[in-house]
């Protein structure tokens, strides 16, 4: 079965940059581009969309809480209706730049704290899906399988794409281990092994090293914010090719 390879990109702000987006876009098949709430600004959004289109990479709206200072990793109390409007705003903003570059936004992926809170909160998940269907019901939702996000997508008639993480360890319950947990962020060699495990057997290691957990994924994420991100992504793509797993976009 073909597998998509995605990364979170466009996560700078003004003169501050994060990661090597140009190099990562030579490797991945889908780009989750920040929409200005947790990171990114209009110039970065335009530049990243243009690069993605030039390199044939699918564009996704990486929507988050309005939290530039905390990089979207802090959970914020937002009413479902307000969250719907904020997600709709972010999708529309990025889509303007995607269309200016000659393509369009193909999917939506929540970022950071929103990814986790909408996965476990039915009302927040429904708010995210309300924004998607109001903007364009053709959009897919990329997120964790077996959560409220998947249930809400099914109820809304939106295509859901399960996501797995190469570079993050999981808890025994199937969620990502908090970043402060020992072993939560994997070294490149372990990330390659985990990507292959998810691709071939639908399983990933647990942060405590005591077992594995099922991960149903059609797309694998490699975070773009670590110094080894590009090399890690390159090694993962080469390893998938070696075991005969085609790498292609889902969108």
């Amino acid at each position: 079965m073909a597998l998509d390879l995605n990364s979170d990109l466009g996560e700078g702000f003004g003169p501050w940059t994060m990661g090597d987006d140009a190099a990562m876009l030579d490797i991945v098949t889908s780009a989750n581009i920040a929409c200005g709430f947790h990171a990114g600004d209009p110039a970065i959004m335009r530049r990243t969309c243009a690069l993605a289109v030039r390199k044939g990479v699918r564009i996704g709206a990486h929507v988050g809480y309005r939290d530039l200072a905390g990089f979207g990793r802090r959970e914020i109390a937002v009413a479902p209706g307000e969250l719907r409007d904020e997600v709709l705003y972010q999708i529309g903003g990025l889509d303007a730049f995607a269309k200016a570059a000659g393509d369009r936004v193909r999917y939506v992926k929540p970022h950071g704290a929103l990814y986790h809170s909408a996965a476990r909160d039915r009302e927040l998940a429904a708010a995210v899906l309300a924004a998607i269907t109001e903007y364009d019901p053709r959009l897919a939702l990329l997120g964790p399988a077996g959560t409220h996000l998947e249930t809400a997508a099914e109820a809304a008639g939106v295509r859901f794409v399960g996501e797995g993480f190469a570079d993050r360890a999981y808890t025994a319950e199937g969620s990502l281990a908090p970043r402060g947990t020992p072993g939560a962020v994997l070294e490149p060699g372990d990330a390659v092994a985990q990507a292959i495990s998810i691709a071939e057997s639908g399983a990933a290691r647990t942060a405590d090293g005591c077992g594995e957990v099922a991960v149903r994924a059609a797309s694998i994420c490699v975070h773009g914010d670590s110094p080894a991100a590009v090399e890690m992504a390159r090694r993962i793509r080469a390893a998938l090719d070696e075991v005969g797993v085609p790498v292609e976009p889902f969108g």
Side-chain angles (χ1 to χ4, degrees), residues 11-38:
E11 292 187 317
F13 188 78
W16 182 77
T17 60
M18 174 180 282
D20 188 343
D21 288 357
M24 192 66 85
L25 285 166
D26 285 328
I27 303 165
V28 300
T29 47
S30 294
N32 321 312
I33 300 177
C35 303
F37 269 37
H38 77 276

Side-chain angles (χ1 to χ4, degrees), residues 5 166-167 188 191-192 195-196 220-222 231-241 247:
L5 192 61
D167 51 2
V192 173
I196 297 302
I220 298 287
C221 179
V222 180
E231 181 58 27
M232 183 187 298
R234 188 175 290 117
R235 288 176 59 185
I236 288 170
R237 177 138 193 181
L240 290 170
D241 288 341
V247 178

Side-chain angles (χ1 to χ4, degrees), residues 53-219:
V53 172
R54 191 178 312 147
K55 299 188 179 194
V57 176
R58 297 291 187 266
I59 294 172
H62 201 27
V63 300
Y65 286 124
R66 188 168 6 184
D67 181 28
L68 285 172
F71 196 62
R73 288 178 176 161
R74 300 181 295 187
E75 191 163 327
I76 296 175
V78 180
E82 184 178 353
L83 178 62
R84 175 203 59 209
D85 294 344
E86 292 190 347
V87 170
L88 181 62
Y89 179 92
Q90 292 175 78
I91 297 170
L94 186 69
D95 195 41
F97 291 111
K99 288 178 177 174
D103 200 355
R104 64 177 177 87
V105 167
R106 306 293 183 125
Y107 65 94
V108 173
K109 174 186 170 180
H111 164 81
L114 180 58
Y115 188 93
H116 300 296
S117 60
R120 66 174 182 269
D121 187 301
R122 188 190 312 274
E123 290 188 345
L124 296 183
V128 171
L129 267 299
I132 291 173
T133 54
E134 285 184 353
Y135 190 81
D136 185 352
R138 296 176 300 168
L139 296 174
L141 174 66
L142 178 62
T147 67
H148 285 300
L149 282 168
E150 181 174 18
T151 302
E154 291 174 349
V158 169
R159 180 187 178 195
F160 179 83
V161 179
E163 179 181 39
F165 289 84
D167 51 2
R168 294 289 306 280
Y170 286 79
T171 67
E173 293 72 36
S175 60
L176 293 182
R179 285 181 175 270
T181 303
V185 179
L186 304 186
E187 296 297 324
D190 292 331
V192 173
Q194 178 151 296
I196 297 302
S197 177
I198 293 173
E200 292 190 320
S201 61
R205 63 181 292 181
T206 54
D208 59 13
C210 296
E212 292 185 334
V213 64
V215 178
R216 177 162 47 87
S219 183

